[in-house]
């Protein structure tokens, strides 16, 4: 009597297991996990069509030929406007697939060797940042005679002084920030804690804003709209959103006549470039930004390279 071998899990089931492990075991954010799920389900759909197995695709069905055809299909994909996928988006699909295959290998599930998934070379866009005089010009446009103005000044000072992500900023509570010590801890990407240090001026601006408030709500920054209805006692219903902060920053950039596209992340870039141009080492900047990989921090080297040229021309004169 022939023994009937029990079928192993399908790729679809393993994808969901992998995505769950990203959050639970790897500490990745929910948004990252959702992106990985979307990229891998697209792979499943395309690979299923290539093999004719659709959603019955098994791990050992993932071959080099399937990978080759998947990359070709990715390159040819178009949206309803006839636009193809950006190279960086294609790369994200392959990063997700390689991570999934590594997960399978660790679990002893036979599939394609993850090292065979080669990632394309992506030329990163140069970051936009503001020079210190542009920051000062932007700040000078804020009316400090209103509570909203005091809030906006505190927000911009904190973004530039501490290098915060906008999501980290809006998540702050009053008791999160030690204005006397001018340091505090935020939980960034991957649920990793990192220290934030702020200038005396930034601490003073935050204190000015808090002194002007008459409420006792927990969030550090509040939406001043009168249309908001109280839905809880925590004050989260009035917590400023990331989109609101984006509008605030863009508003003052326009008023200051800055033609660059300015966002809260531009101020984070400005924080990093200001540190590097003033002599900070890249490893320290990596820690202050909360980058897991030094290569992410190295996107700022084009700025410091230009700065080094200025130093060379100033201090190393030609021989006569």
């Amino acid at each position: 009597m022939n023994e009937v071998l029990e079928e192993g899990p399908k790729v679809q089931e393993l994808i969901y297991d992998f995505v769950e492990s990203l959050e639970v075991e790897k500490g990745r954010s929910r948004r990252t996990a959702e992106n990985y799920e979307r990229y891998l389900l697209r792979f499943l759909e395309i690979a299923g069509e290539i093999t004719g197995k659709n959603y019955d695709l098994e791990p050992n069905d993932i071959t080099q030929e399937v990978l080759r055809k998947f990359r070709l299909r990715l390159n040819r994909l178009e949206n309803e406007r006839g636009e193809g996928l950006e190279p960086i988006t294609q790369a994200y699909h392959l990063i997700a697939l390689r991570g999934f295959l590594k997960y399978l290998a660790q679990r002893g599930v036979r599939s394609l060797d993850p090292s065979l998934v080669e990632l394309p070379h992506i030329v990163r866009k140069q970051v936009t940042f503001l020079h210190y005089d542009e920051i000062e010009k932007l700040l000078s446009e804020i009316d400090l005679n209103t509570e909203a103005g005091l809030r906006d000044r505190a927000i911009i000072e904190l973004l530039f002084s501490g290098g915060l992500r906008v999501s980290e900023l809006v998540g702050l509570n009053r008791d999160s920030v030690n204005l006397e010590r001018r340091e505090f801890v935020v939980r960034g990407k991957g649920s990793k804690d990192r220290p934030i240090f702020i200038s005396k001026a930034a601490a003073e601006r935050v204190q000015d804003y808090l002194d002007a408030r008459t409420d006792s709500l927990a969030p550090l920054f509040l939406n001043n709209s009168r249309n908001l209805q109280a839905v809880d006692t925590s004050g989260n219903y009035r917590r400023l959103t990331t989109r609101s902060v984006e509008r605030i920053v863009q508003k003052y950039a326009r008023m200051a006549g800055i033609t660059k596209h300015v966002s809260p992340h531009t101020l984070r870039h400005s924080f990093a470039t200001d540190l590097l141009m003033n002599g900070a080492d890249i490893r320290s900047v990596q820690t202050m930004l909360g980058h897991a990989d030094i290569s992410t921090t190295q996107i700022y080297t084009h700025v410091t390279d230009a700065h080094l040229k200025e130093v060379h021309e100033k201090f190393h004169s030609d021989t006569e």
Side-chain angles (χ1 to χ4, degrees):
M1 185 175 178
N2 292 330
E3 184 181 355
V4 177
L5 296 175
E6 184 180 346
E7 289 189 1
K10 306 293 185 185
V11 169
Q12 184 174 20
E13 180 184 343
L14 290 165
I15 285 173
Y16 291 131
D17 288 347
F18 168 61
V19 170
E20 188 175 275
S21 77
L22 286 176
E23 283 194 78
V24 176
E25 297 168 21
K26 300 293 185 182
R28 298 293 186 89
S29 69
R30 181 177 178 182
R31 183 175 178 180
T32 297
E34 288 172 349
N35 286 337
Y36 269 65
E37 181 178 334
R38 185 169 70 255
Y39 298 141
L40 289 170
L41 289 179
R42 175 173 275 166
F43 166 75
L44 175 62
E45 181 183 357
I46 293 174
E49 291 173 3
I50 292 169
T51 60
K53 288 201 167 186
N54 297 317
Y55 287 89
D56 287 328
L57 191 76
E58 297 178 19
N60 60 8
D61 292 323
I62 304 174
T63 63
Q64 282 185 273
E65 181 62 11
V66 169
L67 173 63
R68 185 188 70 80
K69 289 182 178 179
F70 171 64
R71 296 184 74 145
L72 186 62
R73 290 277 292 274
L74 268 185
N75 197 51
R76 292 177 178 176
L77 269 181
E78 293 183 348
N79 60 22
E80 61 276 6
R81 296 187 297 275
E83 300 166 338
L85 289 181
E86 292 283 343
I88 188 67
T89 305
Q90 294 183 43
Y92 287 152
H93 281 77
L94 296 170
I95 290 168
L97 177 59
R98 189 165 68 172
F100 174 60
L101 292 173
K102 284 182 180 178
Y103 171 77
L104 296 185
Q106 289 165 357
R107 287 189 53 176
V109 178
R110 181 176 295 181
S111 189
L112 184 68
D113 187 333
S115 66
L116 296 175
V117 183
E118 295 182 9
L119 303 181
H121 176 67
I122 301 298
V123 178
R124 290 180 178 269
K125 294 179 181 178
Q126 288 193 342
V127 297
T128 300
F129 69 98
L130 300 180
H131 292 282
Y132 192 75
D133 61 329
E134 292 175 305
I135 296 285
E136 288 188 317
K137 194 174 180 182
L138 187 152
L139 291 172
S140 69
E141 294 296 329
I142 303 174
D143 180 4
L144 299 181
N145 294 313
T146 66
E147 184 180 318
L150 291 171
R151 178 200 64 189
D152 297 350
R153 176 71 183 250
I155 285 171
I156 293 172
E157 291 269 13
L158 265 189
L159 288 170
F160 177 64
S161 180
L164 291 155
R165 297 181 178 95
V166 64
S167 58
E168 295 165 347
L169 179 115
V170 299
L172 292 174
N173 287 333
R174 285 177 186 252
D175 59 5
S176 302
V177 183
N178 189 321
L179 297 178
E180 187 175 335
R181 291 174 59 91
R182 293 190 280 118
E183 62 182 74
F184 52 95
V185 173
V186 294
R187 180 151 292 181
K189 287 186 175 180
S191 297
K192 293 179 180 178
D193 293 342
R194 79 173 192 282
I196 298 293
F197 306 97
I198 60 174
S199 67
K200 183 180 179 182
E204 289 174 349
R205 298 295 81 77
V206 174
Q207 190 62 61
D208 289 344
Y209 167 56
L210 292 177
D211 289 344
R213 279 171 50 176
T214 56
D215 64 90
S216 57
L217 299 177
L220 182 59
F221 295 113
L222 298 178
N223 187 320
N224 292 331
S225 172
R226 298 188 179 185
N227 297 323
L228 295 171
Q229 299 295 319
V231 293
D232 57 43
T233 57
S234 70
N236 281 325
Y237 69 97
R238 283 193 62 191
R239 187 181 295 277
L240 210 59
T241 64
T242 57
R243 184 69 191 110
S244 294
V245 175
E246 288 169 3
R247 291 193 188 101
I248 288 167
V249 172
Q250 289 165 2
K251 168 189 170 183
Y252 294 113
R254 284 194 303 270
M255 290 172 65
I258 299 171
T259 56
K260 302 172 186 176
H261 174 71
V262 181
S263 69
H265 215 67
T266 307
L267 296 174
R268 180 169 153 87
H269 291 323
S270 305
F271 162 79
T273 52
D274 188 63
L275 282 170
L276 290 167
M277 290 175 73
N278 283 290
D281 67 277
I282 197 164
R283 287 287 180 185
S284 296
V285 175
Q286 176 192 2
T287 301
M288 284 188 271
L289 289 171
H291 288 162
D293 194 324
I294 191 69
S295 63
T296 309
T297 319
Q298 286 169 340
I299 62 173
Y300 300 105
T301 55
H302 75 282
V303 179
T304 53
D305 287 347
H307 179 59
L308 289 174
K309 184 178 179 181
E310 291 175 10
V311 172
H312 180 274
E313 291 179 349
K314 182 176 181 180
F315 296 105
H316 188 72
S317 58
D318 294 331
T319 56
E320 295 181 359

